[in-house]
Amino acid sequence: MRRGLALAAALATLVLAAPAAAAEGSLVGIRPLSPDRSWIETTLAPGAAVRAEAVVVNLSGRPQRMLVSAADGVTTADGVFTLAGEAETPRGVGAWITPDATSLDLAPGERRRLGITIRVPAGTPPGDHAGGVVVRPAGAGPATGEGAVAVRVVERVGLRVHVSVPGRRDGSVRLEGLAARPAGGGGIRGALGLPDAIEVEFTVRHAGNVRYHALHGLVEVLDGGRVTAAVPVAVGTLLPGGERRLEARVPVGGWSPREHRVRVTIGAIPPARSETTVGARPARFYGAGGLALGLVGMGGAGWWRRARRAR
């Protein structure tokens, strides 16, 4: 393969526009018409429509044709809001958005207003719905990389659109697949079968219809009714119908073999809570303890016999 070979990469970095038009180093930007807004947000009943405006910017030093489309809102595995890729067919807000133009020819540094229509289909259930407007240069960027292969990156920049449909609001989330296991336990603690920590895994699934922007939770280890250790967990953005698998490691102490009760609480409205128990390993504990006592006893008996022979 020659050095100049380019891969047609749909590796698209989707930067969600904040008040600034785009991220540093971008060649294209989009923001709401009002410079003090971070995204477009509206409340619409089923069957209703509204007009909104954005500003598209050519941040490069050459003329560019910008392609305009719409996409549904999704979250990453890290709980960060983004917009679905071009291969994903919009079925939510992305399908409700109709831009006035699907392409714009912009001179270097030019800013252009872009009108969009947001129409909520009849029969849409109440709750928060998310999507956005996406712009990207019509051509791929310059080839980057070293060696035999160069990659052309297609940059996509998005502007969030949040639509709230009136009706009963439900913030319910569910905790599923809660599992906990002892971990660590080196040195003396390991020999006695005592863990250094409890590793916890669980899934948070959104069963309601409201958008959580920065959802948090708490993982606790309890001894009876007393909390002995706790660590916070960040769920991040959670959209209706979304889910996120999380892990936490809670350090534990103490020298007695006992069951550890693990409790997970997610600060939704209403809060979600689930518990499980990590079983104790007394056989290993007492076996190790018996072995230690046996070794001490054998050492003592050997010392006593040597002392008698020396008399």
Side-chain angles (χ1 to χ4, degrees):
M1 299 175 70
R2 292 200 305 240
R3 179 184 179 88
L5 179 64
L7 297 178
L11 269 165
T13 304
L14 184 57
V15 182
L16 297 176
E24 183 179 354
S26 296
L27 299 179
V28 58
I30 183 171
R31 63 166 175 80
L33 180 62
S34 175
D36 61 346
R37 300 296 301 272
S38 297
W39 50 69
I40 294 172
E41 193 164 12
T42 186
T43 299
L44 285 175
V50 70
R51 291 278 297 169
E53 284 191 300
V55 176
V56 180
V57 187
N58 179 5
L59 298 172
S60 75
R62 56 184 175 81
Q64 286 199 102
R65 170 163 288 185
M66 308 291 188
L67 302 183
V68 183
S69 60
D72 290 337
V74 295
T75 55
T76 68
D78 296 329
V80 177
F81 182 95
T82 187
L83 296 178
E86 292 181 338
E88 301 292 328
T89 301
R91 292 180 172 82
V93 172
W96 305 352
I97 296 172
T98 304
D100 287 355
T102 56
S103 66
L104 297 170
D105 292 311
L106 273 65
E110 182 182 357
R111 299 169 180 262
R112 183 87 56 85
R113 286 190 180 189
L114 173 68
I116 65 171
T117 300
I118 307 167
R119 186 180 301 276
V120 178
T124 299
D128 296 335
H129 305 264
V133 181
V134 181
V135 295
R136 72 169 180 86
T144 60
E146 297 181 358
V149 177
V151 177
R152 293 187 183 275
V153 177
V154 178
E155 181 189 22
R156 302 171 65 233
V157 179
L159 169 63
R160 302 187 199 188
V161 175
H162 292 293
V163 180
S164 179
V165 177
R168 179 178 176 273
R169 296 178 66 78
D170 181 4
S172 301
V173 303
R174 293 199 299 262
L175 277 165
E176 300 177 352
L178 175 60
R181 61 182 179 274
I188 297 177
R189 293 185 63 85
L192 297 178
L194 298 173
D196 289 330
I198 303 296
E199 292 183 346
V200 185
E201 295 182 2
F202 56 93
T203 296
V204 181
R205 188 184 306 276
H206 200 327
N209 62 10
V210 302
R211 169 177 54 95
Y212 286 106
H213 175 61
L215 192 61
H216 286 81
L218 187 68
V219 179
E220 301 169 295
V221 173
L222 298 94
D223 183 3
R226 182 174 62 92
V227 176
T228 58
V231 295
V233 290
V235 182
T237 297
L238 193 64
L239 301 177
E243 64 177 63
R244 186 169 176 213
R245 187 69 178 170
L246 294 165
E247 300 178 355
R249 183 182 176 93
V250 187
V252 294
W255 292 94
S256 61
R258 65 185 187 278
E259 288 188 334
H260 295 280
R261 187 158 59 98
V262 176
R263 180 171 66 196
V264 178
T265 303
I266 303 298
I269 302 175
R273 179 170 291 172
S274 183
E275 294 188 7
T276 189
T277 301
V278 180
R281 294 179 287 182
R284 182 176 173 187
F285 177 86
Y286 290 118
L291 177 61
L293 290 175
L295 291 174
V296 170
M298 290 173 61
W303 175 84
W304 183 76
R305 286 194 297 269
R306 288 193 299 272
R308 287 194 62 184
R309 285 196 296 267
R311 291 177 182 174

